[in-house]
Amino acid sequence: MMMPRIRIAALLPLLLLPPTSPAQTVPQTAPQSASQTVHPDAAPIQATRLTNCPLNELTHARDCTLGVFTFDHGGADPNGHESAHSTELTTTGPGISLGNFGGWRVQFLNVDELNVANRGIAQGRSLKLNKHATGDTMGTYDYVFSDGGSTALSDEAIKGEAANVGETDGYFHGKIASTTGTGDIAPALTFVSGNNWTTDGAPLLDITKGTISGHLTGRSAPLPGSTYLNTLTVDNELPLSTAWGICNTAIPNNHTAQVNTPFTCNVTLKQGRFRPQGVVCVTGPNYPEQAPITAASTPSGGSQSITIAVRNPNTAGISIFQGGLCGQYISFDANLALTGYRSSYYAFGALDPHHLIYGMNRRGVVAGGFIPMTGDEAAAVGVDGLDGYHLYPGCEVVTNRTFGANPICEPNAVPWATSDLIEAPHNVAVSVTGRSMNVYQNTPSNGWGSVGDLLVLHGPGTSGNNFIGRLTRNANPVTLYKPFGGPLDAPDFHHIDGYFDVGLAFRPAPHILIRVQNNRDTPNTPITLFSLPGGDIRWDPASGSLLAKTGLHGTTTAIGGRPLALGTCATGTATIPGANNTMVPVTVASTTGAPGFSPGGAFQVNAQVTAPDTVTVSVCAILPGTPRPSTYIVSLQ
């Protein structure tokens, strides 16, 4: 349905109405009277730059331009078009399209720029369309056609919809130009490199004062006495928390933007006692923050009354730490080396010199997260070159006073000093969705046949090997992933969640259903084509044959623990339903590592199906000795 050109003169005066004052505000549903009708030939008024827009008392929103349009009967247009906003741009004359060598002539029908430096919801465009009648109902209907080609360097040809979406590249690196010293909430910054702005809700770190570092020697584990905090085992000596307590009273929402409000709680002491000076770290369960502590009673019976000034609401069960690592952030060295982005997990405290208490805020919940996340980040526990970490003192940015690097921080205990190196890394809780759709339908699909996502190809040009119906390309180098020497797991290509009657249907079937070009890992390594609950179907490139892996497996009883003479064996059995003597054990693995060795001893492990549903595993001495007691996992081919 191609729309004819519509004159804008009739609507332009309304589009440029100045803001309505609170006393003059008209409800959005109020119809316009005949006296408000604008004559089509009325001269358009000049646009006005509007600042400090008044608060609309009816909607509690700030309105710089308020336009109300009501059409209560059909117009004279035979096609029945009614437009609240209509804009037409026609350009002719010489053009230029030389790409990166010489630039372009560019036309924009609408240019909207939204700059936001404060936390909250930011939407570039919000459309609410409600229709209570039959007929076409479309949120956006674009007609995009061109008869030009792709000739200039970096020409992108014809795209119906194009978006570049994701995390901002780079972050602020700078120095402190001036400061009042320790605890300053607004040190003046000088830009050095990266992006010349800070992020509301992300940390500001003093890199110069990062004097604590070490290596990760143990995986993340839950903190005893906490339901949501975890610890990391490290090899360096950590400064200890002077107090840890649990508050079982919820912190109420003060409904104000970044304002610290006094809150008193009778905390259950877990370690030490609180002192009425400095700041404490409030760890959640919802929103972590540093907060001034203004009062602390004498402890009695394992509890203590404290008063802190907090910004954020939290549910009961809040952990509060004082001293030690409070106010520090964890940066994994390997992450920074691989990506150029510094991680910044919360370090809350330590109850002993080698267990670092940490957490992260994901979607309003503080969680241990079991960092470093294997396969998701480069850091790894106990791996030389990947297990290093540093701690940096910092604070959360709570206000951006300008769109540059001019932040206000939460209360803190950072020992800021002039010329200190400062970084403002991104928040670690990042989630990106390139395209998101929610499709709803309650009435059966009687109108045509509903489709969640529809792609229809037209024209003979949509043919041949150079035209692809859908393409997903991983633009990262393969060297980023583990099979090729990198530290990360490759992403999954496509997931289908929930039940479907048919997972994939072809009508008619294509010439080739699935084409596997090669195996980039090792050309002759078997590839798993289907991983099924009962086993796998694999392809062996070396022989060109399909292999069926039954997936039958089981675990033996304990084997070993007693001395074996040369040539003697210790045995155990695994019960595997479905096992028979035509099957061959393909893997036999100890659950506690390789069999142990006594001085001069060595052992060989063998397995075979000895009876229906039974596999016998033998640990035999090829040199006398005592094998370590272990159970063994057996898989059958």
Side-chain angles (χ1 to χ4, degrees):
M1 296 182 296
M2 300 291 291
M3 294 180 62
R5 298 175 179 175
I6 300 175
R7 298 182 65 186
I8 192 173
L11 296 177
L12 186 58
L14 280 176
L15 301 184
L16 300 176
L17 284 175
T20 308
S21 65
Q24 297 172 323
T25 298
V26 179
Q28 295 290 320
T29 57
Q32 289 188 330
S33 65
S35 61
Q36 293 175 301
T37 303
V38 180
H39 191 275
D41 295 327
I45 63 174
Q46 294 297 315
T48 303
R49 183 186 178 103
L50 303 172
T51 59
N52 299 321
C53 307
L55 180 66
N56 184 325
E57 296 295 341
L58 296 181
T59 63
H60 300 285
R62 292 194 178 276
D63 292 313
C64 282
T65 301
L66 177 63
V68 179
F69 307 91
T70 302
F71 300 95
D72 55 6
H73 61 276
D77 190 321
N79 293 318
H81 290 166
E82 297 172 335
S83 300
H85 303 278
S86 178
T87 304
E88 178 181 323
L89 171 66
T90 301
T91 68
T92 59
I96 183 172
S97 180
L98 297 178
N100 295 343
F101 284 151
W104 307 264
R105 182 181 176 186
V106 183
Q107 291 88 33
F108 298 100
L109 182 62
N110 292 295
V111 178
D112 298 318
E113 181 174 333
L114 173 65
N115 298 312
V116 179
N118 54 273
R119 69 188 75 188
I121 297 174
Q123 296 174 316
R125 188 175 301 278
S126 181
L127 170 67
K128 296 181 180 180
L129 189 159
N130 299 299
K131 180 176 180 178
H132 307 289
T134 58
D136 293 357
T137 305
M138 302 174 189
T140 300
Y141 204 136
D142 297 327
Y143 299 90
V144 181
F145 296 96
S146 171
D147 44 41
S150 300
T151 59
L153 185 65
S154 76
D155 263 359
E156 297 186 59
I158 304 169
K159 291 184 178 180
E161 180 181 356
N164 290 313
V165 178
E167 184 179 358
T168 305
D169 288 338
Y171 58 92
F172 176 84
H173 300 260
K175 293 183 178 181
I176 294 183
S178 63
T179 177
T180 60
T182 299
D184 189 1
I185 64 170
L189 306 179
T190 298
F191 172 70
V192 173
S193 65
N195 298 329
N196 191 14
W197 65 77
T198 54
T199 304
D200 184 16
L204 188 71
L205 306 180
D206 191 325
I207 304 302
T208 300
K209 296 302 194 300
T211 59
I212 302 174
S213 63
H215 300 86
L216 308 176
T217 60
R219 290 291 301 167
S220 172
L223 171 66
S226 173
T227 59
Y228 56 88
L229 294 177
N230 282 40
T231 65
L232 283 169
T233 305
V234 299
D235 63 355
N236 59 302
E237 296 280 330
L238 299 172
L240 302 185
S241 302
T242 57
W244 173 33
I246 304 292
C247 175
N248 287 313
T249 302
I251 299 177
N253 190 337
N254 61 24
H255 297 287
T256 55
Q258 309 308 325
V259 175
N260 290 76
T261 304
F263 170 76
T264 300
C265 183
N266 198 41
V267 298
T268 300
L269 293 174
K270 293 286 191 176
Q271 181 160 311
R273 60 172 295 179
F274 290 94
R275 306 289 180 178
Q277 66 265 346
V279 297
V280 295
C281 282
V282 182
T283 67
N286 303 110
Y287 299 104
E289 64 175 294
Q290 297 182 66
I293 178 170
T294 57
S297 69
T298 300
S300 176
S303 63
Q304 185 180 15
S305 176
I306 64 173
T307 299
I308 56 180
V310 291
R311 309 184 324 275
N312 299 322
N314 267 289
T315 55
I318 307 153
S319 279
I320 303 174
F321 292 88
Q322 188 174 33
L325 301 179
C326 174
Q328 301 271 344
Y329 289 81
I330 307 169
S331 172
F332 293 137
D333 299 345
N335 289 3
L336 180 63
L338 179 69
T339 67
Y341 288 75
R342 186 180 301 282
S343 54
S344 51
Y345 298 102
Y346 294 104
F348 294 125
L351 305 181
D352 66 69
H354 297 293
H355 286 88
L356 193 161
I357 302 170
Y358 75 92
M360 62 182 298
N361 180 13
R362 294 182 298 186
R363 298 178 66 88
V365 177
V366 174
F370 294 99
I371 61 171
M373 293 173 281
T374 303
D376 290 338
E377 50 189 337
V381 173
V383 179
D384 189 30
L386 301 179
D387 58 358
Y389 82 97
H390 282 73
L391 295 182
Y392 297 101
C395 58
E396 179 183 326
V397 175
V398 296
T399 300
N400 281 321
R401 291 179 289 184
T402 67
F403 211 67
N406 190 20
I408 295 177
C409 266
E410 66 180 342
N412 64 85
V414 181
W416 314 103
T418 302
S419 298
D420 279 2
L421 298 177
I422 301 299
E423 290 186 13
H426 298 177
N427 196 299
V428 293
V430 175
S431 178
V432 177
T433 301
R435 185 168 181 261
S436 178
M437 294 179 62
N438 289 296
V439 179
Y440 300 90
Q441 181 168 343
N442 297 313
T443 301
S445 302
N446 297 327
W448 179 259
S450 300
V451 179
D453 191 6
L454 176 64
L455 170 66
V456 180
L457 307 181
H458 296 275
T462 61
S463 59
N465 293 331
N466 287 328
F467 186 91
I468 301 172
R470 290 192 186 275
L471 172 64
T472 300
R473 176 183 290 117
N474 185 348
N476 290 320
V478 296
T479 52
L480 193 64
Y481 305 120
K482 288 179 179 178
F484 311 99
L488 306 181
D489 289 336
D492 292 347
F493 164 65
H494 188 70
H495 279 206
I496 298 176
D497 295 328
Y499 180 75
F500 292 87
D501 185 53
V502 177
L504 188 64
F506 289 96
R507 298 190 296 265
H511 176 62
I512 298 174
L513 184 63
I514 298 175
R515 171 179 283 149
V516 179
Q517 295 293 103
N518 62 359
N519 185 353
R520 291 289 301 272
D521 185 359
T522 303
N524 291 325
T525 298
I527 300 171
T528 298
L529 300 180
F530 297 96
S531 181
L532 307 169
D536 297 340
I537 298 177
R538 299 181 297 159
W539 174 56
D540 185 359
S543 63
S545 59
L546 293 176
L547 306 175
K549 182 180 177 182
T550 64
L552 298 179
H553 60 272
T555 304
T556 68
T557 54
I559 304 172
R562 295 184 179 182
L564 294 178
L566 178 64
T568 61
C569 303
T571 62
T573 59
T575 299
I576 305 178
N580 60 65
N581 58 10
T582 66
M583 297 178 179
V584 179
V586 292
T587 58
V588 181
S590 168
T591 58
T592 56
F597 297 92
S598 62
F603 310 93
Q604 186 176 44
V605 180
N606 300 292
Q608 64 179 356
V609 179
T610 55
D613 303 334
T614 303
V615 176
T616 299
V617 175
S618 301
V619 179
C620 302
I622 56 177
L623 289 176
T626 302
R628 179 171 53 197
S630 179
T631 57
Y632 291 80
I633 301 173
V634 182
S635 296
L636 299 178
Q637 177 71 46

